[in-house]
């Protein structure tokens, strides 16, 4: 195991993580319109993130990483999303995969070595979970790990979405454990760029989040069996992937809402200076948007605290109550960002509606509407409804 180098990040508070990300966020903001217009990967932002060594933020310091926690990653994603939501979402998706490796891969020599590479080379990780014929049901796989020899395997996946797949240095793929396994008996397999072939099977001309380049691919990989994470995907999902995904995605959506309200507030203040003593027509809408933003911020921070309290307790992480809380975070945050941005646009009026205005919220509104569709809210609400048949809330103020 390599000792951390002098340029590795120290463990940091969430505020310090956001401050470290400020330079990358500013660069992301300068290129956000181009990224959106051209539906291209935010190359400039991720060059800055790599230079700041923020892709390895959550890798333990013993492996050369930053030693940060989930709150740190959420703070960086939130800061990026205020300037370029696509950059924030890509960063969040990367850190979801890092969290899975950090929390479930340290018992394996291959995965420990991969964590060192991730931190040292600032590798960018993507994921391939959705699949043709299965769609958003990530707890089922059609593709399987197929033996070639005792130590090697091959897999082929018709992935309907692999965000920033061409730019990723490695992809974490879900697949059935063997060719004879049922669809729900899944594993996660990190495959490296040199082990993977990607054939594009769908484009990416969308309303919002255009910079994520969430294209469909036929993925073929040949790799070593030691690369397969030992814990079943169902356990990794419940203990790490599901809560971390919902928390980091919600942090991105909070970033969108934060900047939308800030732009609306700047507009209202400018209008108030023109007519002292007369509240601008949109002031009441600004108040409503601000109230919604405060509620959303509290919800995300509460979920972070809840995860950190349960992080080392598998029983709590796999409890029905915890799953209900994380599912509810996702569905509510996804609805709230749309509502808050809409209220901020009403506050800003035509200035917010225009693409050529410093108060424009057009991109914010389009990006916000991706939130209820990412793992469709209706699917998650259906899962939550099933959980509630067996789970009874304890009625406590503190859950």
């Amino acid at each position: 195991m390599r000792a951390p180098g002098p340029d590795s990040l120290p463990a940091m508070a969430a505020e310090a993580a956001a401050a470290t990300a400020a330079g990358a966020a500013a660069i992301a903001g300068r290129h956000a319109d181009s990224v959106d217009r051209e539906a291209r990967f935010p190359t400039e932002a991720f060059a800055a993130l790599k230079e700041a060594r923020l892709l390895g933020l959550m890798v333990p310091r013993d492996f050369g990483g930053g030693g940060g926690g989930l709150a740190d990653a959420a703070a960086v994603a939130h800061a990026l999303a205020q300037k370029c939501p696509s950059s924030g979402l890509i960063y969040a998706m990367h850190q979801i995969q890092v969290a899975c490796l950090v929390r479930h891969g340290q018992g394996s020599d291959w995965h420990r070595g991969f964590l060192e590479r991730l931190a040292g080379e600032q590798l960018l990780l993507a994921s391939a979970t959705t699949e043709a014929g299965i769609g958003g049901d990530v707890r089922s796989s059609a593709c399987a790990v197929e033996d070639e020899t005792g130590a090697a395997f091959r897999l082929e996946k018709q992935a309907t979405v692999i965000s920033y797949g061409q730019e990723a240095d490695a992809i974490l793929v879900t697949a059935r454990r063997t060719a004879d396994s049922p669809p729900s008996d899944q594993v996660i397999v990190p495959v490296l760029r040199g082990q993977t072939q990607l054939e594009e099977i769908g484009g990416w001309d969308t309303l919002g989040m255009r910079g994520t380049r969430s294209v469909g691919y036929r993925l073929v990989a040949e790799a070593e069996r030691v690369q397969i994470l030992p814990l079943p995907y169902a356990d990794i999902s419940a203990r790490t992937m599901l809560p971390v995904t919902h928390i980091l995605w919600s942090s991105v959506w909070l970033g969108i809402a934060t900047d939308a309200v800030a732009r609306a507030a700047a507009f209202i203040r400018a209008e108030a200076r023109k007519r002292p003593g007369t509240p601008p027509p949109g002031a009441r809408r600004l108040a409503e948007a601000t109230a919604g933003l405060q509620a959303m911020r509290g919800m995300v921070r509460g979920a972070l605290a809840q995860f950190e309290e349960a992080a080392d307790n598998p029983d709590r992480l796999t409890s029905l109550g915890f799953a209900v809380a994380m599912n509810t975070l996702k569905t509510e945050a996804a609805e709230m960002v749309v509502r808050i941005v809409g209220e901020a646009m009403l506050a800003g009026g035509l200035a917010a509606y225009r693409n050529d205005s410093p108060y424009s919220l057009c991109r914010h509104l389009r990006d916000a509407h991706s939130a209820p569709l990412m793992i469709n809210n209706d699917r998650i609400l259906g899962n939550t409804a099933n959980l509630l048949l067996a789970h009874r809330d304890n009625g406590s103020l503190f859950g």
Side-chain angles (χ1 to χ4, degrees):
M1 185 181 298
R2 186 182 63 198
D7 56 348
S8 62
L9 293 169
M12 55 182 74
E15 294 83 359
T20 302
I27 291 171
R30 287 200 291 271
H31 296 277
D33 287 337
S34 168
V35 166
D36 178 70
R37 183 173 58 252
E38 300 168 27
R40 67 171 179 86
F41 180 77
T43 305
E44 300 85 358
F46 276 81
L49 287 165
K50 288 183 178 183
E51 185 176 353
R53 302 187 63 78
L54 285 167
L55 296 189
L57 171 64
M58 291 181 69
V59 176
R61 298 182 71 189
D62 286 348
F63 296 96
L70 183 58
D72 303 316
V76 175
H78 177 258
L80 288 168
Q82 291 180 60
K83 303 298 183 181
C84 174
S86 288
S87 295
L89 187 59
I90 293 168
Y91 185 80
M93 291 189 284
H94 162 78
Q95 293 295 357
I96 293 162
Q97 310 314 309
V98 175
C100 292
L101 288 165
V102 168
R103 287 171 56 80
H104 306 292
Q106 294 191 46
S108 152
D109 288 342
W110 190 92
H111 296 102
R112 287 195 297 270
F114 184 56
L115 286 170
E116 290 186 349
R117 279 196 62 193
L118 194 164
E121 301 173 33
Q122 293 293 292
L123 302 181
L124 178 64
L125 308 186
S127 69
T129 53
T130 58
E131 195 167 356
I134 293 176
D137 182 8
V138 297
R139 294 296 297 271
S140 296
S141 290
C143 75
V145 173
E146 300 176 0
D147 283 312
E148 286 193 347
T149 69
F153 71 86
R154 180 184 187 277
L155 66 80
E156 179 176 337
K157 189 180 185 90
Q158 301 290 328
T160 53
V161 169
I162 303 180
S163 298
Y164 56 97
Q166 293 287 2
E167 291 77 19
D169 298 299
I171 301 173
L172 275 67
V173 185
T174 53
R176 287 181 292 138
R177 185 178 300 277
T178 70
D180 298 325
S181 299
S184 60
D185 183 10
Q186 298 164 283
V187 292
I188 296 181
V189 189
V191 292
L192 308 177
R193 183 194 294 270
Q195 300 172 326
T196 310
Q197 299 175 33
L198 292 175
E199 176 188 343
E200 191 169 316
I201 58 175
W204 185 247
D205 186 4
T206 56
L207 179 71
M209 288 297 182
R210 292 168 57 79
T212 64
R213 292 285 301 150
S214 300
V215 175
Y217 293 97
R218 173 177 173 265
L219 180 152
V220 178
E222 297 180 0
E224 302 297 315
R225 295 192 65 83
V226 293
Q227 295 175 217
I228 302 171
L229 281 166
L231 197 67
Y233 172 69
D235 293 330
I236 294 175
S237 176
R239 298 183 196 178
T240 301
M241 186 173 282
L242 184 146
V244 170
T245 295
H246 292 343
I247 288 169
L248 290 183
W249 283 1
S250 297
S251 299
V252 170
W253 302 330
L254 179 62
I256 297 172
T258 298
D259 192 59
V261 172
R263 290 189 181 207
F267 172 79
I268 293 296
R269 286 194 294 268
E271 290 297 297
R273 285 194 293 271
K274 295 176 184 177
R275 290 178 289 274
T278 303
R284 182 176 179 275
R285 292 291 189 175
L286 175 61
E288 292 175 346
T290 301
L293 181 65
Q294 290 180 356
M296 188 177 182
R297 184 180 293 122
M299 184 170 62
V300 174
R301 294 179 67 171
L304 269 167
Q306 191 171 359
F307 176 79
E308 289 171 352
E309 289 171 2
D312 298 321
N313 187 332
D315 289 339
R316 286 188 64 183
L317 291 170
T318 56
S319 69
L320 295 180
F322 187 79
V324 167
M326 293 300 115
N327 282 353
T328 301
L329 167 70
K330 191 278 171 184
T331 55
E332 286 302 299
E335 297 291 343
M336 290 179 80
V337 64
V338 174
R339 185 166 61 250
I340 293 167
V341 174
E343 289 168 344
M345 181 166 276
L346 289 171
L350 188 60
Y353 192 71
R354 295 175 62 108
N355 281 314
D356 59 354
S357 162
Y359 308 109
S360 176
L361 295 179
C362 298
R363 178 160 41 81
H364 298 67
L365 190 68
R366 289 187 289 105
D367 287 343
H369 276 282
S370 72
L373 306 178
M374 293 176 58
I375 309 181
N376 195 292
N377 268 16
D378 287 346
R379 180 188 294 277
I380 295 180
L381 286 167
N383 292 339
T384 303
N386 288 332
L387 294 173
L388 290 171
L389 296 176
H391 172 70
R392 179 177 297 176
D393 188 89
N394 63 17
S396 166
L397 175 62
F398 301 103

